Structures are given as C-alpha cells and as structure tokens.
Amino acid sequence: MPPTRKPAAPTPETIMAQVNAGNIMPVYLLMGTENYFLDKLESALIDALVPQGMRDWSMITLFGAETDVETVVTTARGFPMAGDRMVVALKEAQNLEGFARLETYLKQPQPTTVLIITYRNGTVDKRTTVFNLIKKIGVVYETPKVYENRLSSFITSYVADKGLKIDIKAAQLLAAHIGADLARLTSEIDKLVIAMPESQQQITDDLVATHIGVSKEFNVFELTDALGEKNVQKVFQIAKYFDANPKSNPIQKTLPVLFRYFQNVFIAYYAPDRSEHGLQNYLGMSDWQLRNNVLPAMKNYKARKVMNIISAIRRTDARSKGIDNPNTTQGELLRELLFFILN
C-alpha cells in the first residue's frame, strides 16, 4: 500500500481561494515570526469577510494585552448587528493571558462568527488542546521563514507584484542594507516606487543608492565580487573605504554576507548535479547570481580552502565581539580576514 501523502500546509493563496469561493471556516489562526505575512493575510481576510462600510456593525477588534479570555469568548458568541456574519479579530494574541482557555469557545463556536486570531513572534504550542481544536474546526497558517539568501528573490517578487522590475544589484543592495525585516524592507521598496520617475519601470542600484543611503560603488556585494575574482587591489580598496566609514559598513554587517557567499560556494561543491542548471536549482539562485557569484569563486577557491575561509569568518566574528581580542580594531580584523581569504 503506498504511503499516505501529508497534506500541504495552507498558504495565503489557498486560504483566500477558499474564502472567495464561500468556504469560510469559524476560526483562523495566523501565527509565526514573519509579521509581514501575518499582516498581509489578516488584512486580506478582513477585506474579504467584512465590507468597509459594514465594519462598525459587523466587526469587533480585540488586543491580547488589553482584553481577557472571557471577553473574547463572550464577544465571539454574540450576533452580528447587520448582515449574516460577525468577524472578531483577536490581534497580538500572544499577549492574551490564559490563551489555552479559548478551548471553551472552540468546542462550540458560534455559527455566525468568524474568529481571526493573529499570534505574533512565535507559535501556539502544537501539543495543546486549543491548537488541535483550531486545526480541527478551522485553519492554521504558520508564516514561512525568509532566509537571508532568499531575500533577493522576495524583493524581486514583491516588486513584480507592483507591475515593476528591479535589477539584481539593486535587490542585493536592499537585502544587504536592510536584512530580513520584511516590514521595513517592503516599506523602503514602497518609498522607492514613489520616488521613481514616471517614465521608469525598473528600480536601479542608482535609485537605491540615492534614496536608501547606501553606497553603490563600495558595498559588500562589490567586495564579494572582487573576492570571487581574486581582484586583490579592489578588495583592499573597498576594505579601506569600509574602515573609513565604519557607521555605514560595520563589520557585523559585512561578515554575515561574506559567510553566506562562501557557504553557497561550499554547498555548490557538493551539489549532485554540478551543471549550471543543476547548481541553480540546488542553490535556489538565478542564472545571473550563479554566474556572477558562485562560478567565479569556484574557479579561484578549492573546496578545502572555502571550508577554511568559513572557519576564519567565524573566528573573526567572535573576535569582533571581543572574544580573544583585547584591542584589534574592526578595520584590522577585516583586513586580516581578507588577506587570509586571498592567500
């Protein structure tokens, strides 16, 4: 007998498709650490379930730190003042004291109520009765983790949803400068869209440099490109610039990017298919990223050297935080690391 395939986890797209088709569940639990995805799905559910003009009559919003379980239960058991449905949005549910006691409502939910629970910065314990009741009668959505090496893809997709394009270097600059704070990242992209000339349909690295306050010429991606090509002169030119501008280019921002760069190179050596197409799929990279980042480095660094470089980056990170390092400056630490990488 073939093994039973585990059902796919709900996504915002599948959840909203069901809602728009009229298949509405009595409770939705939105949880996880990526608040951007929580906000987006929460807003989509509310927009689909309650018309803007009906919200004073058919929607009640509660906040976990400002309410209690009894109030949530009493509110959810009420009736809509207008229309066929009432929506109760319980926001910041991680701050609700005694969250597990919501099971008293979930055992017999009100048929005319949709309870939307947004649980931020973590997840409900999946071993609890309350979690399993929600899963049984409703929908549980857990946000995916967006890893640093996937940020460029996220940025490209977000911009594409706006009917625009962004070039690779601009996406990399944003990813490196802002990091995985998706709420801030999307906010900065929205500012760039507003700042774009009407005749322009693509966000460029020049636009990012002008409006986000990051150097286009000397940044960490220029550094990784120079390292991949073993361009010694440019590597130390950039290092000198970083040392002269420590606030814009602190070593704590540089080292994670160097680590991910060489980690990808190391992983590439162990890909089951070392063709360009195989490496693209294995690393989850675009053709441009592979050809401009990974392949040049594979020509200049053997696998064992890359492994030693990764260890050196870790040691430098520890020393930058004061471990076994009484007085070496950040600039000196970076130059020592770059000298090791290139030799």
Side-chain angles (χ1 to χ4, degrees), residues 65-98:
E66 300 172 4
T67 190
D68 53 51
V69 172
E70 289 71 24
T71 300
V72 176
V73 171
T74 301
T75 303
R77 283 182 174 156
F79 294 91
M81 295 180 67
D84 300 326
R85 179 190 308 120
M86 181 170 70
V87 171
V88 177
L90 174 58
K91 301 190 175 191
E92 311 287 348
Q94 74 280 0
N95 297 324
L96 179 66
E97 188 174 344

Side-chain angles (χ1 to χ4, degrees), residues 125-157:
D125 188 338
K126 297 174 184 177
R127 301 166 296 180
T128 58
T129 301
V130 66
F131 175 84
N132 285 295
L133 279 169
I134 295 172
K135 194 171 182 181
K136 181 179 178 182
I137 67 168
V139 173
V140 175
Y141 168 70
E142 184 174 350
T143 61
K145 177 68 178 173
V146 177
Y147 295 97
E148 296 281 349
N149 64 338
R150 303 284 182 176
L151 277 180
S152 291
S153 297
F154 172 82
I155 292 167
T156 301
S157 176

Side-chain angles (χ1 to χ4, degrees), residues 92-105:
E92 311 287 348
Q94 74 280 0
N95 297 324
L96 179 66
E97 188 174 344
F99 180 87
R101 289 189 285 118
L102 285 176
E103 64 183 69
T104 58
Y105 171 77

Side-chain angles (χ1 to χ4, degrees), residues 10 48-49 51 89 92 137 179 183 190 194 205 218 232 240 246 257 319 337:
L49 294 170
E92 311 287 348
I137 67 168
D190 291 343
I194 294 170
D205 52 350
F218 293 117
V232 177
K240 183 179 179 181
V257 178
R319 293 178 68 199
L337 173 63

Side-chain angles (χ1 to χ4, degrees), residues 149-150 153 172 260-261 263-265 268 276-277 279-295:
N149 64 338
R150 303 284 182 176
S153 297
Q172 289 181 330
R260 291 192 299 273
Y261 177 82
Q263 184 183 51
N264 280 332
V265 177
E276 286 193 19
H277 182 70
L279 288 172
Q280 266 185 261
N281 289 336
Y282 195 64
L283 295 171
M285 286 184 169
S286 69
D287 178 67
W288 189 96
Q289 288 174 303
L290 183 72
R291 292 188 178 186
N292 287 272
N293 295 320
V294 174
L295 295 183

